[in-house]
Amino acid sequence: MLLFIALANAPGLAPGNPIQNAAIAAYEGIANFLMNTFVYARAYPVFAIMFGYGLVQLAMRQKVAGASRTATRRILLRRNAALVLFGFFHPPLLYFADFLGAYGLIGIAATLLLLESERAQRILLWAWLLPIV
């Protein structure tokens, strides 16, 4: 997955010049089609799923270890706050198209919402499923 993320971000690092050669432009069209089909449409959703899976696994591991809900919430909030902090400094220093800060904010919201009561979790599930139905 990290290779796909690197591939997805590679065009942002490449120098951009207008293509004058028609044959090269055709190859670029093929490359763009392949990137859209196999990288952009696959890498970002799977990376987001992996992020959510990591949050759930960390929370479950804390639960199995006997940690309280408050302690689990504290660990998840600290982890996601570190992502927000990293995401704040990464774009101006290394690469402008960073998404880790956004993941950190989403992780904070998910932590606050998902570590609530089971009733709150059911309401969230139905609020998510209702538009799909």
Side-chain angles (χ1 to χ4, degrees), residues 15-52:
N17 293 324
I19 295 177
Q20 304 297 331
N21 188 334
I24 294 175
Y27 288 125
E28 184 183 36
I30 293 168
N32 286 337
F33 171 76
L34 293 173
M35 288 289 286
N36 285 328
T37 303
F38 296 111
V39 177
Y40 301 135
R42 305 272 191 259
Y44 291 134
V46 173
F47 203 67
I49 289 168
M50 288 172 50
F51 173 73

Side-chain angles (χ1 to χ4, degrees), residues 15 62 99 117:
Q62 293 299 313
F99 53 87
S117 68

Side-chain angles (χ1 to χ4, degrees), residues 19-116:
I19 295 177
Q20 304 297 331
N21 188 334
I24 294 175
Y27 288 125
E28 184 183 36
I30 293 168
N32 286 337
F33 171 76
L34 293 173
M35 288 289 286
N36 285 328
T37 303
F38 296 111
V39 177
Y40 301 135
R42 305 272 191 259
Y44 291 134
V46 173
F47 203 67
I49 289 168
M50 288 172 50
F51 173 73
Y53 180 77
L55 284 177
V56 170
Q57 288 300 312
L58 184 57
M60 295 301 289
R61 189 171 59 226
Q62 293 299 313
K63 184 177 180 180
V64 168
S68 68
R69 215 176 255 247
T70 305
T72 302
R73 182 180 290 124
R74 191 176 322 121
I75 288 170
L76 289 172
L77 288 175
R78 188 172 48 226
R79 176 183 186 262
N80 290 306
L83 273 176
V84 170
L85 185 65
F86 186 76
F88 182 76
F89 288 108
H90 189 256
L93 296 175
L94 296 174
Y95 184 61
F96 65 91
D98 191 4
F99 53 87
L100 293 177
Y103 274 165
L105 292 173
I106 291 168
I108 288 171
T111 298
L112 295 175
L113 291 173
L114 295 177
L115 287 178
E116 291 299 321

